[in-house]
Amino acid sequence: MTLNPAPIEEITGPRHAQVLPSFAANLMKRRMQVNGEKVSGEELLAWRGTLPNYIRANAIRNKFVKGHRPRFEILWHSPIGVHLRPGWEGSVTPFYQTRLRAAIDSLTDASQFPKLTLRQLKELLRMPVAELLELLAKLESSYWTAEHSNQLIQKPLHPETPLQMLAVTDEWLADVNIALKADWVDRVSDDDLRFGGTGQQSLGTWMRETIAQSSVSETVVALGNALVRANTASWTQELEELAQAALSHTKRRPGSNEARQRWVRIFLAKLRGPRPRTLQEVGDEFSLTRERVRQICSTIEDALAANAVATPALDKLLAAAARIAPVTAEQADHELSKLLGSGTGIYCALEFAEVLGKKPDVIAGTTNVRTPHGIEHIPMIRLRDQASDWMTKAIQAVRKDCRGVGCSNYVRIAGIMSLDEGVVIDQRELEGLLEAVPGYRVLDKEGGWFTVALGEETAIANRLKKLFAVASQSITVDDLLIAAVTDDRWLQLAGRGLCIPPIHVLIQLVSSWTWLHKDRHNKMRPIEPIAPQAVLTEIELLAIEVIEANDGVATRSDLAKVIVADRGWTNVALSFALGSSPVFMKIEHSIYRVAGRPLSAPALVEARLRRDRELRQANEVVLDEINTDEPLRITLTQAAGSAPAQRRVIYLPKQYREHVRGAFTHARGAGPSINVSSAQQILRLSAFAESRGVAPGEAFEVIFDVNRRTYEFVHAGDRGDN
């Protein structure tokens, strides 16, 4: 854009340096130091020797513009005083020729050109101030002579135009003072693309002192408005202003204002949406190739990365994102929508921060979540210094809980993460993480209870389906809760004891299942009938047949006669089914009925009579008739209590007291030696039974061989011996 200077030997006297036009050079009251050398306004208009090269000329102009920014009204309102002499086209490039001709055509008379103020010409040409001064200097140099220089030295051609001072309102002062309290204002660099500096003190300090006066200049008003706008802008608004500023500081720029705005729209389109768009997507929108889109976006990005840029809106956005992380990208976009602005997402902001070379406290990532349809990759944002694998492990712990009792608690999951992973997380972080999991729903916000699984996928739902399969009427919520917590074996699904939720949480959980219909008075029934054969085990179906055969009420002996004696199941398997299945309700000792069905009073009376007869017959057993020549199969009950299993004892039924006593070893050497005392206490058997999966209070069988002094352990559900 610069003309090659004439050879030194052709120079006959001082000439125009082609750096600043005379009306600007007149404003330089003292010598200005640039890159270690000093230069004055007089020297710029009467330059001796080789003309400054492009780099030095550009440095002088930029230093001049930055130094005079606080008093820019002098420049804005100064007539340019530059004439378009015949042959002026040879002083500038074709690009500027086109623009100048368009500006001249907009005037009623070409003679008006020298009378234009700098602001008026800038609005016509739409060029950066430094570039506009360079253009005017080249035009002026085409007719500048030493005579002009001498006249300038003796008397300035264009005296300073007085500053136009404005009175400001209290409302404007209040808005500007609020902006000046922001920390980012005092950190604005002197080289900032949008604001610049005073060159002597921080922008904030200078602005506070200036607005304290009774009146301020137009430049100060404009700067104050810019600070207020930047302090309250969303990130998308800030992004557009930065793109506009960047195009004023690039070598390659559009040739018209319309093209300039199109470049800005192209750049913004790449960062529109929840995720950054591809070059192809932007190119399709604007009918451009991918390479052209890349060139336009790179031009703006390179200018932003190479210059000082204040980004208060982006900084506030990233700080807010760090406060809510970890969280799904979708939830972050929702919570940060006001800071983001319309039509964009946090992933776009993080990519732009990377362009500027920032390293925010949050980064983008994904978390894998298992769903009925496979593994889903959920977009997340998390803290930069926080490991990401704890998120997956936290979700795994939550799903284990919900597969059991259908819900979990924030405090419980935070405790598991602290103990197992050494990660300290709070409820807010867990909430942000779990919102990505399908089926997440809060059951009790104050208590921290939530669910992430559908009811059909949980053990508690499977238990209640058994109850609904045999019930002949709607089931009350209380009965459902009793059925849900009557057995604790199903609570061991997660590898560690699950946390039983309170009643009101279970009511919220059960009421949300789509396969249940809630009647009035808190009663439930399935929407579609549930076939017993689909959900009940074989021994449960057999037990129901026996109970129905006894008019709905049966004793333990009634059940054992059919299930154990006739069908070959063990007493342990029968006891396990009666104690753990939700379909059986224990009315009183050794008397059972089917849950969810009306109770027949006559059948209960008959069952009590049968039980009494059974007890009398048992008490009449003659101990001497017990045949110890064959192994004795004895039903025992696992010891309960809070003491360790090694210190608990199991008691032998009293009818075997005289026959089973002393030490016994395991028949296959798989268990410890046990000892049966005279007080019917069996030592060391409780710990062994616990290791084989027998819960406190649960029945199991042991086969004692009195002659060989050995014993065998029988598992629940087995049909024969181990």
Side-chain angles (χ1 to χ4, degrees):
M1 290 186 293
T2 58
L3 297 176
N4 293 327
I8 296 178
E9 57 270 14
E10 296 181 5
I11 299 174
T12 59
R15 53 182 175 159
H16 202 294
Q18 302 181 19
V19 175
L20 292 173
S22 58
F23 78 91
N26 276 332
L27 299 179
M28 295 176 60
K29 299 304 180 182
R30 57 180 179 273
R31 296 172 66 83
M32 183 171 61
Q33 184 167 348
V34 182
N35 297 333
E37 298 181 9
K38 292 185 177 181
V39 63
S40 67
E42 296 175 358
E43 291 172 336
L44 292 176
L45 300 178
W47 194 266
R48 298 183 181 278
T50 305
L51 293 179
N53 58 30
Y54 175 79
I55 296 177
R56 186 181 181 193
N58 198 45
I60 295 172
R61 270 190 300 272
N62 289 334
K63 185 68 176 288
F64 171 81
V65 171
K66 290 178 182 178
H68 287 74
R69 192 177 297 275
R71 301 185 300 119
F72 237 58
E73 275 73 14
I74 297 176
L75 284 170
W76 286 137
H77 298 287
S78 295
I80 59 175
V82 176
H83 301 275
L84 294 175
R85 299 294 178 87
W88 65 265
E89 292 87 353
S91 302
V92 296
T93 62
F95 172 77
Y96 290 126
Q97 292 175 19
T98 302
R99 286 200 172 189
L100 279 171
R101 288 194 181 99
I104 295 170
D105 292 341
S106 66
L107 302 175
T108 57
D109 187 353
S111 62
Q112 294 180 347
F113 185 81
K115 301 176 183 179
L116 293 174
T117 65
L118 184 64
R119 182 186 292 278
Q120 291 171 334
L121 185 60
K122 186 179 187 302
E123 292 175 353
L124 286 174
L125 299 181
R126 296 188 178 278
M127 295 168 55
V129 174
E131 192 172 341
L132 189 60
L133 293 175
E134 177 187 7
L135 174 63
L136 293 174
K138 292 185 180 301
L139 290 172
E140 192 177 61
S141 69
S142 65
Y143 60 84
W144 194 264
T145 65
E147 182 180 351
H148 289 99
S149 301
N150 294 332
Q151 292 175 356
L152 176 68
I153 294 172
Q154 296 172 2
K155 182 180 180 181
L157 292 178
H158 303 292
E160 294 186 7
T161 302
L163 286 173
Q164 183 176 355
M165 307 304 289
L166 301 175
V168 296
T169 64
D170 292 340
E171 182 180 0
W172 182 86
L173 287 173
D175 291 340
V176 174
N177 278 318
I178 291 174
L180 292 175
K181 290 179 181 178
D183 295 338
W184 67 271
V185 175
D186 286 321
R187 295 195 299 269
V188 172
S189 170
D190 283 345
D191 299 325
D192 188 86
L193 285 184
R194 289 191 291 170
F195 306 106
T198 64
Q200 298 176 352
Q201 53 188 169
S202 71
L203 177 63
T205 301
W206 180 86
M207 193 67 179
R208 293 184 193 97
E209 294 176 356
T210 303
I211 65 174
Q213 302 171 10
S214 58
S215 60
V216 297
S217 65
E218 287 184 359
T219 299
V220 174
V221 173
L223 181 58
N225 292 338
L227 292 174
V228 172
R229 188 169 59 252
N231 198 50
T232 58
S234 66
W235 176 63
T236 53
Q237 293 170 333
E238 178 178 84
L239 189 64
E240 182 174 358
E241 288 199 9
L242 291 175
Q244 297 280 9
L247 286 178
S248 299
H249 291 74
T250 57
K251 296 295 182 185
R252 298 173 57 251
R253 58 172 62 95
S256 65
N257 183 57
E258 291 74 15
R260 178 193 184 98
Q261 300 309 316
R262 177 176 168 84
W263 279 33
V264 172
R265 291 196 302 272
I266 292 171
F267 174 73
L268 297 178
K270 187 173 181 292
L271 298 175
R272 188 170 64 235
R275 308 290 178 273
R277 301 171 73 194
T278 64
L279 297 176
Q280 187 63 54
E281 290 172 338
V282 178
D284 292 343
E285 179 180 345
F286 289 89
S287 301
L288 297 173
T289 64
R290 295 174 66 256
E291 177 59 20
R292 184 54 180 157
V293 173
R294 186 198 66 77
Q295 291 173 356
I296 293 173
C297 293
S298 296
T299 298
I300 297 176
E301 291 174 355
D302 292 346
L304 292 174
N307 291 276
V309 179
T311 57
L314 178 62
D315 296 341
K316 285 189 288 187
L317 171 63
L318 297 178
R323 289 194 295 270
I324 65 173
V327 67
T328 64
E330 181 180 0
Q331 182 64 20
D333 291 346
H334 173 71
E335 294 190 26
L336 304 174
S337 58
K338 291 185 178 180
L339 294 176
L340 279 166
S342 60
T344 189
I346 186 64
Y347 267 38
C348 297
L350 290 173
E351 179 168 300
F352 181 68
E354 184 177 346
V355 169
L356 299 182
K358 293 178 179 289
K359 287 189 176 181
D361 293 335
V362 291
I363 58 176
T366 58
T367 293
N368 300 331
V369 177
R370 185 179 299 277
T371 69
H373 307 291
I375 300 296
E376 287 189 12
H377 305 288
I378 306 298
M380 300 281 299
I381 62 168
R382 63 177 177 84
L383 296 176
R384 180 180 294 274
D385 58 353
Q386 193 171 50
S388 60
D389 57 347
W390 75 265
M391 300 182 188
T392 300
K393 293 181 179 179
I395 292 176
Q396 291 173 350
V398 167
R399 293 184 67 85
K400 285 182 179 180
D401 277 9
C402 292
R403 279 197 297 268
V405 296
C407 57
S408 188
N409 187 274
Y410 297 122
V411 175
R412 170 179 168 80
I413 300 303
I416 292 175
M417 290 297 99
S418 177
L419 292 173
D420 294 353
E421 306 299 327
V423 177
V424 178
I425 52 178
D426 57 25
Q427 179 171 332
R428 177 190 55 79
E429 292 174 314
L430 279 175
E431 287 175 342
L433 171 65
L434 295 175
E435 284 167 350
V437 181
Y440 171 75
R441 189 169 65 87
V442 176
L443 301 175
D444 177 13
K445 185 171 183 62
E446 184 176 352
W449 291 96
F450 62 91
T451 182
V452 299
L454 298 177
E456 292 84 348
E457 299 177 353
T458 63
I460 185 174
N462 294 332
R463 284 179 60 80
L464 297 185
K465 284 182 178 180
K466 291 186 175 187
L467 177 59
F468 283 113
V470 301
S472 60
Q473 57 190 9
S474 296
I475 306 298
T476 65
V477 172
D478 292 341
D479 290 337
L480 289 177
L481 300 180
I482 292 173
V485 298
T486 49
D487 173 52
D488 62 356
R489 283 183 62 88
W490 64 280
L491 298 178
Q492 307 300 319
L493 298 176
R496 69 172 86 215
L498 299 184
C499 189
I500 302 296
I503 292 177
H504 73 280
V505 173
L506 283 176
I507 292 176
Q508 287 288 331
L509 176 67
V510 172
S511 300
S512 67
W513 291 343
T514 57
W515 55 275
L516 280 181
H517 175 75
K518 186 176 181 181
D519 297 330
R520 291 183 298 177
H521 308 298
N522 283 331
K523 290 187 176 182
M524 301 282 185
R525 57 181 172 84
I527 295 176
E528 298 292 338
I530 301 174
Q533 293 78 9
V535 293
L536 299 180
T537 64
E538 181 182 351
I539 194 171
E540 287 173 330
L541 293 171
L542 284 175
I544 291 174
E545 290 181 9
V546 174
I547 293 175
E548 289 177 341
N550 289 277
D551 295 330
V553 183
T555 66
R556 176 72 165 66
S557 297
D558 295 333
L559 296 166
K561 287 176 184 178
V562 177
I563 296 174
V564 178
D566 296 343
R567 299 298 182 92
W569 290 85
T570 65
N571 270 307
V572 174
L574 175 59
S575 297
F576 177 75
L578 293 175
S580 63
S581 175
V583 303
F584 304 116
M585 181 170 290
K586 186 176 183 179
I587 303 175
E588 52 191 62
H589 180 67
S590 297
I591 297 179
Y592 299 88
R593 72 180 179 94
V594 178
R597 298 184 181 181
L599 175 62
S600 171
L604 177 58
V605 173
E606 289 296 325
R608 286 171 174 168
L609 293 175
R610 292 196 303 276
R611 182 195 60 187
D612 292 341
R613 288 195 297 269
E614 293 164 1
L615 290 176
R616 287 196 299 269
Q617 291 174 1
N619 291 332
E620 293 172 358
V621 172
V622 180
L623 299 180
D624 292 339
E625 293 180 358
I626 296 177
N627 184 9
T628 58
D629 293 335
E630 297 292 334
L632 301 177
R633 192 180 188 112
I634 303 175
T635 300
L636 304 175
T637 301
Q638 170 67 304
S642 59
Q646 294 83 351
R647 297 174 54 188
R648 297 199 298 262
V649 297
I650 295 175
Y651 286 87
L652 185 76
K654 62 182 179 180
Q655 60 265 38
Y656 299 101
R657 180 176 53 189
E658 301 298 330
H659 301 280
V660 181
R661 185 182 300 176
F664 291 83
T665 59
H666 196 278
R668 294 179 287 106
S673 296
I674 62 175
N675 187 68
V676 183
S677 68
S678 59
Q680 303 167 240
Q681 294 179 336
I682 307 177
L683 306 179
R684 293 185 294 278
L685 181 59
S686 179
F688 179 57
E690 184 179 80
S691 68
R692 305 302 292 271
V694 181
E698 184 180 343
F700 64 97
E701 291 184 340
V702 174
I703 302 174
F704 287 93
D705 191 329
V706 177
N707 297 319
R708 296 182 179 179
R709 310 303 295 175
T710 62
Y711 74 96
E712 286 274 0
F713 182 89
V714 180
H715 282 289
D718 291 340
R719 290 175 176 270
D721 301 344
N722 280 344

